[in-house]
Amino acid sequence: MQIQDLPYPDPGVPDVRSGPRFLWWLGRNQLGGQFKSLAWGLLHFLAVSALPFCVGLAVQSVVDHSGTRLALTGALMAVCGACIALGELMLHRTAVTNWITAAARVQQLLARRTALLGSALTRRVAAGEVVAVSTGDVERIGWFVEGVSRFSAAAVTVVVVCVALVVYQPALGVIVAVGVPVLAVAVLPLLPRATRRADVQREKAGRATELASDTVAGLRVLRGIGGEELFLDRYRRASQEVRRAAVRSARMWSAISAIQVLLPGLLMIAVVWRGVQLARDGRIAVGELVTVYSAVMLLTYPLRHFEEIAMAYSFSRPAAKRAARVLSLERAMDSGGSRAAEAPGGDLYDPVTGLLAPEGRFTAVVCGDPDAAGLLAERLGGHASQQGETARAEGGPRSTSVVLGGVPLDELPLECARTAVLVQDKDPVLLSGSLRELLDVPASGLVSAEAALSAAQCGDVLDALTQGSLDTEDPMDARVTERGRSLSGGQRQRLALARSLITDPEVLVLDEPTSAVDSHTEARIADGVRSLRAGRTTVVLTSSPLLLDHADRVVLIHEGEVVAVGVHRELVHSEPRYRAVVTRETEEEAAAEVADRTALGAVTVDDEAVLDGVLEEIEETA
């Protein structure tokens, strides 16, 4: 795989049983690139290691006054220099290719897993950890994959040089052959401690990243309540913890580096001392002494890759462990499905609550609990609820699936289920880019961007985007900042609603789509959505009277089940629990109404029981 061939047609199925197994899986999937890098690395390192022998031959040629051998040695050194340059160039190219392709594979795997899990991902893994895995951890994993080939070439070179020295000059070669393995393993006792310190640093950095991510995401709210300084102090403390952990880790690695410099120096002193003695006794020639000395000096170059691979592994192992943890997460329902990939049509029914949304109708759902409404919206889209995810993680049974046209959604392939039912949650995300790119989503083609923007009442949003992009006259080319931070909450909501309307799914589920807009705009949005979605199934979870009044059918869900069905104007007068949620009726107002009805003799035993339930709900909410 070359860089120009990315992305991978299929990144494969990773081994996520542990971090080391994941790294081993990555290496096995890049054997071709690793062997190329190893070959060029051997050419480079062996050419570097051949220079001492060339220098020794040149010195001995001068001592022996042999011009022919000196010329041949010079030619051999020129060949070695060319091999060093070519090997280094190609080693860098192939090693970096291994790095980038490995990182790209991990990125693709993470993106695929994120798309598969959907909203369940952030419920089971902190958002900061996901960010850390997809950015810094991916780079560290790529670093280790790149370093493996360099280390392998360096290790083979060290073995070859030691054997060559033993053959070339046994008296000194034995010292080198014994001393080099000692150099290689001398730092091993320090590696576990260095790895633990690196793990602590990565853990603290992940927590700091998570805190920063959450703070930035809620910056508007923090400014509104004056909590900026509080969270800034928290981040300062977290940042200082990261700094202290990084310093402790750096001290350990500096000690390892010092040992990597000190021990080769001691080995060189021992070789020179013994070599001088042998030269005085006439047992070795001057050229041989120079050769062995130069070889020991140049061995420090490949030996440094032992330190690099140890450092790369210590940093990549926890990174791979975190990546494997994210990649090991599974959906509560099978993404492949057991039915053919055909989008069904018909009524939408939730057996858990008893909610029925007739085909082609505008159904509004009222829940007293916003969290329950969010879980219901996810379940209507075929996404497992938090309870279902927990039960699956604990080995329990799956939750009952929502049925569309008589077909359970969890029996459909994931892509087919998502095409049939689209869910827009109460906090949709806007990606950065032009408005045209934002609205360029998979769609039926029956709803134009202009119609969707008009139905979502985005006229003032287009004006604001145009004014913010002075070099753009067409609003569709105006830039939308990341998460739409330059827009108000209501403007972001309306753009997200327009994006959902363009897709024109068979069933559209909206969770509080107008909670941040004013009442006049909300009334126009309700009328626009009803008109644009005529003949399509639309489910809106809301407590807004303006939206409820435009619905063909209103369903009240209390304590997890349907307790009333009708239209808004009827339910307001006949259902106290519905009225308490929609009109935000207080406990005193409810009691006064009951007193009035009691005085008129209009309160029945059932009414009193219903009222007791309403009062309990109001008290719990308060």
Side-chain angles (χ1 to χ4, degrees), residues 10 127 155 185 230 242 246 273 290 296 305 315 341 418 422 450 515:
D10 180 13
V185 302
L230 174 62
V242 174
W273 178 75
V290 172
V296 174
H305 290 79
F315 278 91
R418 287 182 172 176
L422 174 67
E450 291 75 14
S515 59

Side-chain angles (χ1 to χ4, degrees), residues 60-80:
Q60 193 61 42
S61 298
V62 173
V63 173
D64 296 340
H65 303 286
S66 176
T68 302
R69 280 192 296 161
L70 184 60
L72 292 175
T73 303
L76 183 59
M77 293 181 69
V79 172
C80 289

Side-chain angles (χ1 to χ4, degrees), residues 248-270:
R248 295 183 70 247
S249 179
R251 286 174 178 168
M252 185 58 64
W253 287 112
S254 63
I256 293 175
S257 298
I259 292 175
Q260 291 286 336
V261 174
L262 175 63
L263 294 185
L266 295 177
L267 176 61
M268 190 177 300
I269 292 173

Side-chain angles (χ1 to χ4, degrees), residues 448-513:
S448 64
E450 291 75 14
L453 290 169
S454 176
Q457 301 298 310
C458 293
D460 64 316
V461 183
L462 299 180
D463 294 338
L465 290 175
T466 304
Q467 293 174 3
S469 303
L470 300 179
D471 58 342
T472 302
E473 296 182 359
D474 187 353
M476 298 299 292
D477 294 326
R479 301 292 298 178
V480 178
T481 57
E482 183 182 359
R483 292 181 175 268
R485 298 190 192 281
S486 61
L487 302 174
S488 67
Q491 290 174 328
R492 289 196 299 271
Q493 263 193 344
R494 283 176 280 162
L495 277 183
L497 176 59
R499 181 178 59 186
S500 299
L501 293 174
I502 286 178
T503 61
D504 191 34
E506 183 67 28
V507 179
L508 177 61
V509 180
L510 304 172
D511 186 7
E512 293 290 355

Side-chain angles (χ1 to χ4, degrees), residues 347-363:
D347 298 343
L348 183 69
Y349 176 69
D350 176 26
V352 175
T353 60
L355 170 65
L356 175 67
E359 181 181 12
R361 305 287 295 278
F362 187 161
T363 302

